[in-house]
Amino acid sequence: MKIRHISLLIAAVLALPLLLLIPGCKPKNISSAVEGDAAQKVYVAPGKYDEFYNIVSGGFNGQVAVYGIPSGRLLRIVPVFSQFPENGWGYSEETKPMLNTSHGFVPWDDSHHIALSTTNGEHDGRWAFVNGNNTPRIARINLKTFRTEEIIEIPNSSGNHSSPFLTENSEYAVAGTRFSYPMDDGDSDPDVAINTYKQNFKGTVSFIGINPESGEMKVSFQVLLPGVNFDLSRGGRGPSRDWFFFSCYNTEQANTLLEVNASQKDKDFIMALNWKKCEEYVKAGKGKKSKVRYAHNVYSDKTHTGTSTIETETIVLDPKELKDIVYFMPCPKSPHGCDVDPSGEYICGSGKLAAVIPVFSFQKIQKAIADKNYEGTFDDIPVLKYDAVLHGEVKKPGLGPLHTEFDGKGFAYTSFFVSSEIVKWNIEKLEVVDRVPTYYSIGHLSIPGGPTRKPHGKYVIAYNKITKDRYLPTGPELTQSAQLYDISGDKMKLLLDFPTTGEPHYAEAIPASLIAPKSVRFFKIEENEHPYAAKGEKEAGVTRNGNQVHVKMTSIRSHFNPDNIEGVKMGDEVYFHVTNLEQDWDVPHGFAVKGANNAEILVMPGETCTLKWVPDRVGVFPIYCTDFCSALHQEMQGYVRVSPRGSSTPLIFSMGNKAEPTGAVK
Ligand code: RUQ
Ligand code: CUA
């Protein structure tokens, strides 16, 4: 009897951790967190549109995903830094140059942060910028087409994490290097011992100028900085619009076991940088030239083709000589997020290991600079006194603060990774007014318009790092997850969980009304300047140039022209330049050929895309359309005959002819 009791007890104790993981044992407040009308608030009836576009980085998938809010429905995946076989991005001849870098072709990356263009600090619905973290790059997506139009590599950088945050009028996107490293431009010798970090490693922040009309980017200038880790950043706005703020960790300047060695000091830094002053110094010729190679890739909507140019020079400013461009402010402890409120007056640092959220005052920063109220210098850069620049601290807000967003009504919302919650607090009074749990371990959070002067408010969306038991299990790898909360009242209310692809880091949501009316429906065929475009079936044809065979092919419901091709030989490279002749919305045609070891392509109306195919054997190979385009989609097919090397089969092509067979002459 006794023994049975003990074994039951042991069984119960052993089961306890498991019990905690099953849905019945979720925290009590989960059921109360979802109110009775939550379903109604996120229900977008069939045929109705969502109120917001939510543009979400894909993390390690190197892409960007677009969801509707409040429904959480996935609308589109925009390939950026990663090849995407679904539509041939990075596989088609036109898009391969977009993934070129000074390291060669890099068809993947890790994208963390979205920045939507602003005018006067408000969303203008023109472009979305996103960073490539690993091989430093910034991409620009045109929100008329939801396509990546430009990718620029960031030279003199290693790990483009604090990027691509924007100035108020999108004059610049910023790119701070996460990893400091020995400079490797033409005038430096980067072959140094790793433990000489303190002497030899440097950081940089780059300012990527954005053309106000076309959006085209260029590396305008860079600022050389002490070797620390630059983590996140925000541009100022309103009174602080000339400034940028960056969180810095590893001010210990450790080069190994950072989890211990970079967690020694009680305070690291937020760096305040005056980009307007930098601009003036560049104009006055105070920059030094750095010889460094980086790729600049631009996709043209006219030629439907990307080109990659290798640039060879940047201009670098040195704050050791230009004394009034950079200041450090002490910030407890290992700060991650660094966020500016809509008024531009308050800057909050989120110290991952801090027990408070410090809020800095822009006015006080200006006064401390004017008064030279320094506590010392760090690598010759002035460090302002903490008390002199502090508006105040939010005490005991939670554990592991990461990022803060704003609702425009005087409240800030901070994500807490360790305590898995969103905490709402009053910016002026620094008082916590509400908190809600997240499931689980929230990273970024986003309020529509949260980083602008005029937040759209209404919702906060949590991007969680751990999903655990929230969805049906799918083996060891689980879906990533976002959660939507209503913030229209005093208290935050959980409305919806929705799964996300890749790992969502930052996201921005924007009212649909700023984008939907401008959305491109198709490309005008008469404006197609692709060199191999066939703007009508009469222009279709096949030509040979040495071992290159160029097929100018058209597609229209429901045939290709030509659809019979003979005279291709082993050793040939065949380029299928497919022009979609349709001039109507939502009628793409696909193209695939058997044995192609790149991808299929998906061609939008009015566009030309090229698939390169090197046949590996003699025979007759089918081609077909991969997008179900009409009732006769299955009939949209053809054949390519491949003959042996040196065969005398003439190069012929046709569509709709019952041509006489041409026998191979061996
Ligand atoms: S980060 S979870 Cu790469 Cu933006 Cu903070
Ligand atoms: Cu064209 Cu199916």
Side-chain angles (χ1 to χ4, degrees):
M1 191 75 171
K2 228 181 176 179
I3 290 167
R4 236 184 82 205
H5 264 138
I6 288 169
S7 57
L8 275 177
L9 192 73
I10 291 169
V13 169
L14 288 176
L16 197 64
L18 285 173
L19 284 173
L20 288 173
L21 291 177
I22 64 169
C25 284
K26 276 181 194 144
K28 280 261 164 48
N29 43 8
I30 175 74
S31 47
S32 55
V34 181
E35 306 261 318
D37 62 349
Q40 232 172 358
K41 286 191 168 153
V42 301
Y43 182 64
V44 177
K48 297 278 187 238
Y49 294 145
D50 277 288
E51 189 184 348
F52 292 96
Y53 286 97
N54 190 26
I55 299 173
V56 185
S57 73
F60 46 68
N61 76 12
Q63 299 166 337
V64 165
V66 183
Y67 302 84
I69 295 293
S71 72
R73 297 179 296 187
L74 175 63
L75 306 176
R76 169 114 245 109
I77 289 175
V78 182
V80 184
F81 299 110
S82 297
Q83 284 175 303
F84 197 42
E86 181 181 305
N87 63 10
W89 175 259
Y91 293 101
S92 72
E93 295 307 297
E94 289 81 1
T95 55
K96 275 186 204 163
M98 297 302 288
L99 302 179
N100 190 38
T101 72
S102 66
H103 301 273
F105 184 66
V106 181
W108 70 281
D109 215 305
D110 176 25
S111 38
H112 285 215
H113 305 121
I114 301 291
L116 299 186
S117 57
T118 51
T119 303
N120 293 324
E122 293 177 42
H123 277 158
D124 59 23
R126 302 209 285 168
W127 307 298
F129 297 86
V130 58
N131 64 330
N133 199 8
N134 182 56
T135 302
R137 288 177 274 184
I138 291 180
R140 180 173 54 85
I141 297 166
N142 188 335
L143 293 176
K144 283 186 190 163
T145 55
F146 284 84
R147 284 184 167 193
T148 304
E149 256 185 3
E150 190 178 3
I151 295 180
I152 193 162
E153 189 179 357
I154 313 298
N156 291 326
S157 176
S158 263
N160 181 36
H161 193 264
S162 51
S163 182
F165 302 96
L166 301 175
T167 53
E168 199 173 77
N169 283 304
S170 304
E171 294 97 335
Y172 294 101
V174 91
T177 184
R178 170 178 164 191
F179 306 104
S180 284
Y181 74 121
M183 290 293 108
D184 54 1
D185 64 353
D187 299 319
S188 315
D189 177 10
D191 182 17
V192 300
I194 296 170
N195 67 8
T196 62
Y197 187 111
K198 279 187 190 168
Q199 301 91 283
N200 290 324
F201 287 34
K202 291 283 173 205
T204 57
V205 162
S206 306
F207 283 79
I208 310 306
I210 300 165
N211 182 300
E213 303 303 324
S214 64
E216 196 162 313
M217 301 185 281
K218 63 166 193 226
V219 180
S220 296
F221 59 89
Q222 310 189 284
V223 182
L224 190 66
L225 293 159
V228 296
N229 287 53
F230 295 92
D231 203 17
L232 279 146
S233 158
R234 281 289 182 198
R237 52 187 68 105
S240 57
R241 65 163 67 85
D242 296 350
W243 291 75
F244 248 99
F245 304 93
F246 297 83
S247 57
C248 315
Y249 66 102
N250 190 24
T251 56
E252 295 85 350
Q253 303 186 299
N255 57 281
T256 180
L257 196 63
L258 263 67
E259 65 171 321
V260 176
N261 295 331
S263 306
Q264 300 295 310
K265 291 192 186 171
D266 267 350
K267 292 196 176 69
D268 293 275
F269 295 133
I270 295 231
M271 178 176 79
L273 184 152
N274 186 331
W275 62 265
K276 268 272 156 159
K277 273 260 158 66
C278 293
E279 227 179 21
E280 286 166 23
Y281 284 132
V282 172
K283 271 197 199 124
K286 303 273 164 146
K288 288 193 187 117
K289 292 201 170 139
S290 165
K291 289 198 186 70
V292 65
R293 298 176 70 247
Y294 57 104
H296 182 201
N297 312 329
V298 181
Y299 188 85
S300 154
D301 252 5
K302 292 281 175 271
T303 58
H304 302 287
T305 302
T307 46
S308 178
T309 310
I310 295 291
E311 311 276 355
T312 55
E313 201 174 82
T314 65
I315 291 176
V316 181
L317 298 175
D318 187 350
K320 289 192 183 189
E321 291 157 18
L322 309 167
K323 294 282 183 198
D324 53 356
I325 54 177
V326 180
Y327 302 88
F328 286 126
M329 312 191 285
C331 179
K333 174 176 186 176
S334 303
H336 184 58
C338 169
D339 295 287
V340 180
D341 88 312
S343 77
E345 165 62 11
Y346 298 115
I347 298 108
C348 24
S350 297
K352 302 185 292 276
L353 306 176
V356 298
I357 300 176
V359 180
F360 301 95
S361 149
F362 181 70
Q363 280 183 32
K364 289 188 176 177
I365 295 168
Q366 294 309 293
K367 183 158 192 310
I369 290 171
D371 297 348
K372 294 203 165 29
N373 202 350
Y374 306 151
E375 66 167 45
T377 58
F378 182 85
D379 206 9
D380 284 350
I381 291 176
V383 181
L384 302 170
K385 276 205 187 115
Y386 183 62
D387 290 335
V389 292
L390 192 70
H391 161 60
E393 295 173 338
V394 187
K395 307 278 187 206
K396 299 223 173 105
L399 296 176
L402 290 184
H403 299 278
T404 300
E405 290 263 302
F406 306 90
D407 64 2
K409 298 177 186 162
F411 296 101
Y413 299 70
T414 301
S415 58
F416 287 84
F417 178 84
V418 176
S419 51
S420 275
E421 57 186 338
I422 298 175
V423 174
K424 175 180 176 182
W425 48 278
N426 182 304
I427 307 170
E428 272 297 328
K429 297 188 193 140
L430 305 162
E431 282 165 5
V432 172
V433 295
D434 191 23
R435 55 178 74 232
V436 284
T438 59
Y439 305 90
Y440 303 88
S441 298
I442 179 174
H444 276 277
L445 77 179
S446 153
I447 289 175
T452 71
R453 287 186 79 173
K454 283 224 181 94
H456 316 293
K458 210 158 171 180
Y459 303 107
V460 65
I461 304 154
Y463 295 95
N464 301 322
K465 298 299 184 195
I466 295 170
T467 329
K468 278 197 221 168
D469 55 3
R470 298 297 284 185
Y471 297 95
L472 286 174
T474 51
E477 189 182 356
L478 300 170
T479 181
Q480 306 284 328
S481 170
Q483 292 185 290
L484 181 76
Y485 297 79
D486 180 351
I487 57 165
S488 57
D490 289 342
K491 297 283 171 196
M492 294 176 272
K493 288 178 196 159
L494 177 60
L495 298 177
L496 180 73
D497 280 17
F498 62 96
T500 56
T501 63
E503 184 191 349
H505 285 254
Y506 190 50
E508 276 207 60
I510 177 167
S513 58
L514 288 174
I515 292 182
K518 296 187 273 188
S519 205
V520 167
R521 299 193 161 203
F522 56 85
F523 300 106
K524 290 189 186 141
I525 191 79
E526 65 271 18
E527 292 177 3
N528 183 330
E529 292 170 18
H530 190 291
Y532 286 99
K535 297 191 199 179
E537 295 206 327
K538 286 202 184 104
E539 295 180 19
V542 184
T543 49
R544 173 181 286 284
N545 179 6
N547 73 331
Q548 292 189 345
V549 176
H550 289 277
V551 182
K552 272 189 176 185
M553 183 179 272
T554 59
S555 60
I556 195 161
R557 281 162 289 179
S558 299
H559 58 271
F560 293 109
N561 188 6
D563 66 1
N564 277 207
I565 299 168
E566 303 194 10
V568 172
K569 293 169 205 163
M570 288 300 292
D572 284 348
E573 292 174 349
V574 185
Y575 294 85
F576 295 99
H577 309 284
V578 184
T579 302
N580 180 345
L581 293 178
E582 309 279 354
Q583 290 289 274
D584 201 355
W585 195 22
D586 198 21
V587 198
H589 292 287
F591 178 85
V593 56
K594 183 183 172 187
N597 28 34
N598 33 17
E600 57 200 270
I601 49 177
L602 194 62
V603 192
M604 296 302 127
E607 182 186 30
T608 305
C609 288
T610 303
L611 191 77
K612 177 181 171 184
W613 177 57
V614 182
D616 72 332
R617 62 194 73 173
V618 169
V620 173
F621 295 81
I623 57 170
Y624 75 101
C625 170
T626 53
D627 186 286
F628 205 106
C629 49
S630 75
L632 295 173
H633 155 79
Q634 286 296 85
E635 280 71 13
M636 198 165 171
Q637 64 169 55
Y639 291 103
V640 182
R641 173 182 171 189
V642 178
S643 301
R645 204 183 279 269
S647 139
S648 59
T649 311
L651 189 66
I652 57 165
F653 57 90
S654 64
M655 188 268 298
N657 299 339
K658 288 190 197 128
E660 290 301 308
T662 54
V665 184
K666 303 216 171 162

